[in-house]
């Protein structure tokens, strides 16, 4: 049938200001003791009071458990009464009671971990998106910028220009994406450096294929036009050919940057599909007061 447990959030408040209270742990009231779990993120404590250190916190936590032991030994059996007696101990206070059910010890620990993660531990910072930097990608962006079809930093896919460093939901980042009816997703693999190895090239191709697969999942297989652009020595290309063929088998169109034909085909096709910036415009007044715009 499982057991029901009641718990309270342990808060630290160096003064009576409600705004400064911060959740630092969970206290579960069991029939045997007070199961007290505190955060390991000590920066949270230092952030609100330099006067409260780890030693002080340990003493306060031990005081909570000792006081609860005393209350239980003197007839304070009800959890509500025990929680009320621990409402404020020094800089620590307890929230109102919550409850959870656990069928066994493993589930008990899982529930506590879940509460700690959602209410106590700070949310992990979002992973920083690192923009890929390579000679090949630089050449690509420079070419599209010269054609006036590379999106500005404040523009998204709705601009119908080529967006660089496009982040997907799971943190995967595509080198270039253009939305124009379909979603044209471009991944690059530059294996022209002095220290490039077959293993590195194969790994980069694998990551590129993963990004392209995620694009198909996000935008839909029929609407995604995946493109893998690679630049490598002949020896590296031959060694990585099975990985390139596997990416092609998954639906990626391959472009060899060393091939003048491939390079021209890639740049021309994407540039023709994107909406270019207009350099400038001027209005000319025609006879009869009519106006027309001439775009240069």
């Amino acid at each position: 049938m499982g057991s029901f447990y009641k718990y309270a959030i342990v808060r630290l408040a160096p003064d009576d200001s409600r705004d400064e209270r911060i959740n630092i742990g969970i206290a579960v009231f069991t029939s045997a003791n007070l199961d007290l779990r505190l955060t390991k993120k000590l920066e949270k404590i230092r952030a609100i009071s330099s006067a409260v250190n780890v030693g002080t916190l340990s003493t306060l936590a031990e005081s909570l458990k000792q006081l609860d032991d005393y209350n239980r030994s003197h007839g304070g059996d009800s959890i509500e009464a025990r929680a009320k007696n621990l409402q404020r101990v020094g800089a620590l206070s307890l929230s109102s009671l919550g409850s959870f059910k656990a069928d066994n010890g493993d589930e008990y620990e899982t529930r506590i971990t879940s509460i700690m993660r959602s209410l106590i531990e700070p949310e992990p910072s979002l992973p920083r998106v690192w923009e890929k930097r390579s000679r090949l990608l630089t050449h690509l962006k420079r070419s599209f910028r010269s054609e006036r079809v590379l999106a500005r930093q404040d523009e998204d896919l709705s601009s119908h220009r080529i967006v660089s460093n496009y982040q997907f939901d799971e943190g995967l980042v595509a080198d270039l994406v253009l939305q124009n009816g379909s979603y044209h997703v471009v991944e690059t693999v530059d294996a022209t450096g002095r220290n490039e190895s077959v293993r590195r090239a194969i790994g980069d191709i694998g990551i590129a294929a993963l990004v392209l697969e995620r694009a198909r999942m996000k935008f839909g297989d029929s609407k995604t036009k995946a493109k893998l652009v690679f630049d490598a020595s002949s020896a590296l290309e031959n060694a990585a050919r099975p990985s390139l063929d596997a990416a092609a088998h998954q639906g990626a169109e391959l472009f060899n940057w060393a091939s003048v034909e491939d390079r021209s085909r890639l740049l021309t096709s994407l540039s023709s599909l994107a909406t270019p910036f207009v350099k400038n415009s001027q209005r000319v007044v025609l006879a009869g007061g009519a106006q027309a715009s001439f775009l240069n």
Side-chain angles (χ1 to χ4, degrees), residues 100-274:
F100 65 86
K101 181 184 177 182
D103 293 332
N104 51 53
D106 289 341
E107 188 172 349
Y108 174 84
E109 291 296 331
T110 298
R111 294 304 305 273
I112 290 179
T113 299
S114 176
I115 295 171
M116 290 287 289
R117 183 177 295 126
S118 60
L119 298 179
I120 311 302
E121 304 294 357
E123 292 185 6
S125 58
L126 294 176
R128 184 175 179 181
V129 178
W130 294 99
E131 184 173 1
K132 183 188 295 182
R133 297 183 183 277
S134 70
R135 183 190 61 85
L136 173 57
L137 184 55
T138 298
H139 281 321
L140 265 174
K141 291 196 292 187
R142 184 180 299 156
S143 298
F144 290 131
R145 187 179 290 110
S146 68
E147 294 294 326
R148 297 179 285 124
V149 293
L150 186 68
R152 299 190 180 99
Q153 289 186 349
D154 61 344
E155 291 185 314
D156 56 20
L157 295 180
S158 63
S159 67
H160 303 301
R161 283 183 272 273
I162 300 171
V163 175
S164 62
N165 201 36
Y166 181 84
Q167 183 179 10
F168 292 109
D169 297 337
E170 279 105 9
L172 294 176
V173 179
D175 291 338
L176 302 167
V177 180
L178 166 66
Q179 178 190 3
N180 192 329
S182 298
Y183 292 86
H184 302 266
V185 184
V186 179
E187 273 294 286
T188 62
V189 175
D190 190 343
T192 57
R194 292 182 179 179
N195 299 321
E196 293 295 340
S197 64
V198 174
R199 177 179 295 183
R200 174 67 181 273
I202 291 175
D204 288 348
I205 294 170
I207 294 174
L210 177 62
V211 172
L212 296 175
E213 178 62 26
R214 181 66 186 92
R216 282 187 284 268
M217 294 171 62
K218 181 178 180 65
F219 300 132
D221 189 64
S222 62
K223 290 188 176 182
T224 303
K225 308 299 181 184
K227 298 170 173 39
L228 177 57
V229 186
F230 65 93
D231 195 4
S233 65
S234 298
L236 272 178
E237 181 183 347
N238 290 334
R241 176 51 58 183
S243 297
L244 291 170
D245 290 343
H249 183 72
Q250 291 177 336
E253 185 178 4
L254 302 183
F255 293 86
N256 184 347
W257 188 253
S259 165
V260 175
E261 181 182 352
D262 279 11
R263 185 187 306 185
S264 176
R265 182 163 52 92
L266 172 70
L267 297 177
T268 301
S269 63
L270 287 181
S271 297
S272 65
L273 292 172

Side-chain angles (χ1 to χ4, degrees), residues 46-63:
R46 298 191 187 98
I48 61 173
S49 177
S50 59
V52 180
N53 55 37
V54 179
T56 303
L57 182 61
S58 299
T59 301
L60 289 172
E62 191 61 32
S63 297

Side-chain angles (χ1 to χ4, degrees), residues 8-80:
I9 300 302
V10 182
R11 295 168 173 168
L12 177 64
D15 55 35
D16 290 330
S17 173
R18 186 181 302 273
D19 293 337
E20 288 192 358
R21 293 185 183 182
I22 189 167
N23 299 341
I24 64 168
I26 178 176
V28 183
F29 293 86
T30 72
S31 58
N33 59 15
L34 181 69
D35 187 2
L36 187 62
R37 313 287 183 93
L38 299 180
T39 178
K40 295 180 181 179
K41 305 292 185 180
L42 300 181
E43 308 85 47
K44 296 178 69 176
I45 301 168
R46 298 191 187 98
I48 61 173
S49 177
S50 59
V52 180
N53 55 37
V54 179
T56 303
L57 182 61
S58 299
T59 301
L60 289 172
E62 191 61 32
S63 297
L64 278 177
K65 292 192 286 187
Q66 290 177 354
L67 185 55
D68 185 65
D69 288 340
Y70 177 83
N71 291 333
R72 284 188 296 105
S73 65
H74 286 74
D77 292 333
S78 76
I79 292 177
E80 287 74 13

